[in-house]
Amino acid sequence: MSVYGQGAFDGFLSVEPPVQEVYPLDASATVRGATDNAQYTAEETEFDRPELLIAWGSTVDADLLCWWAESPDPNAWTTVIWRRQWLSWDRFDFGMSEFLRRFAARDLPEVWTFDLPYDGCRFVHDRDSKRLRALKIDPWGPEPVARI
């Protein structure tokens, strides 16, 4: 978060900030708000130990991306995802940074690799996305926006 900040990858996967700076009235779009949603969903779906979930992201498909905070060492936390369309929880043996790296490299299981209208991976900070949308520019069009 300190390097890139809050934003989205490929107009699909959003990283939630601890404190909402770009959309201050949207408390649900924070780690705390997303965690409340993830823990509630986990309780409703009888997921084991929902209190260990800490949400760090979401997708346009309303999936919830979480750390599994089983260890006292945050560097050992793995990734757990609620796949809303499949009504299932998926576990990955790596943390948020590695998940995002693999997402950007399209090196995740087939259910997480999909056709995009362009090559490569793009990250757009929410601040830039908000500004571009105000200018009626789609930051996720088929061509990258020059000099965001």
Side-chain angles (χ1 to χ4, degrees):
M1 290 305 289
S2 65
V3 174
Y4 297 103
Q6 71 187 68
F9 289 85
D10 299 328
F12 174 75
L13 187 156
S14 295
V15 177
E16 307 297 352
V19 176
Q20 185 55 261
E21 297 173 10
V22 179
Y23 301 101
L25 299 179
D26 188 1
S28 67
T30 62
V31 169
R32 180 179 301 258
T35 297
D36 289 345
N37 187 7
Q39 290 179 351
Y40 174 80
T41 300
E43 290 169 5
E44 292 295 306
T45 59
E46 299 179 10
F47 181 76
D48 185 39
R49 312 229 10 232
E51 70 279 4
L52 295 180
L53 294 173
I54 301 172
W56 57 261
S58 60
T59 70
V60 296
D61 292 335
D63 299 328
L64 301 168
L65 294 82
C66 306
W67 284 293
W68 179 246
E70 189 172 36
S71 168
D73 177 10
N75 293 316
W77 294 353
T78 57
T79 301
V80 177
I81 299 175
W82 169 246
R83 306 283 319 272
R84 191 168 308 278
Q85 308 304 319
W86 287 267
L87 300 176
S88 67
W89 290 92
D90 291 339
R91 291 179 188 243
F92 296 85
D93 291 330
F94 40 82
M96 172 188 172
S97 296
E98 180 63 12
F99 184 90
L100 293 173
R101 185 198 70 75
R102 290 185 185 201
F103 177 84
R106 305 296 188 256
D107 184 24
L108 287 170
E110 190 172 312
V111 295
W112 278 90
T113 56
F114 44 86
D115 292 330
L116 293 170
Y118 47 84
D119 292 330
C121 181
R122 288 193 241 170
F123 175 83
V124 176
H125 193 285
D126 283 351
R127 169 189 60 244
D128 296 321
S129 179
K130 184 177 182 179
R131 182 178 52 80
L132 291 167
R133 290 190 190 284
L135 296 170
K136 307 268 190 263
I137 298 171
D138 179 7
W140 304 111
E143 296 297 325
V145 177
R147 289 179 285 174
I148 294 180

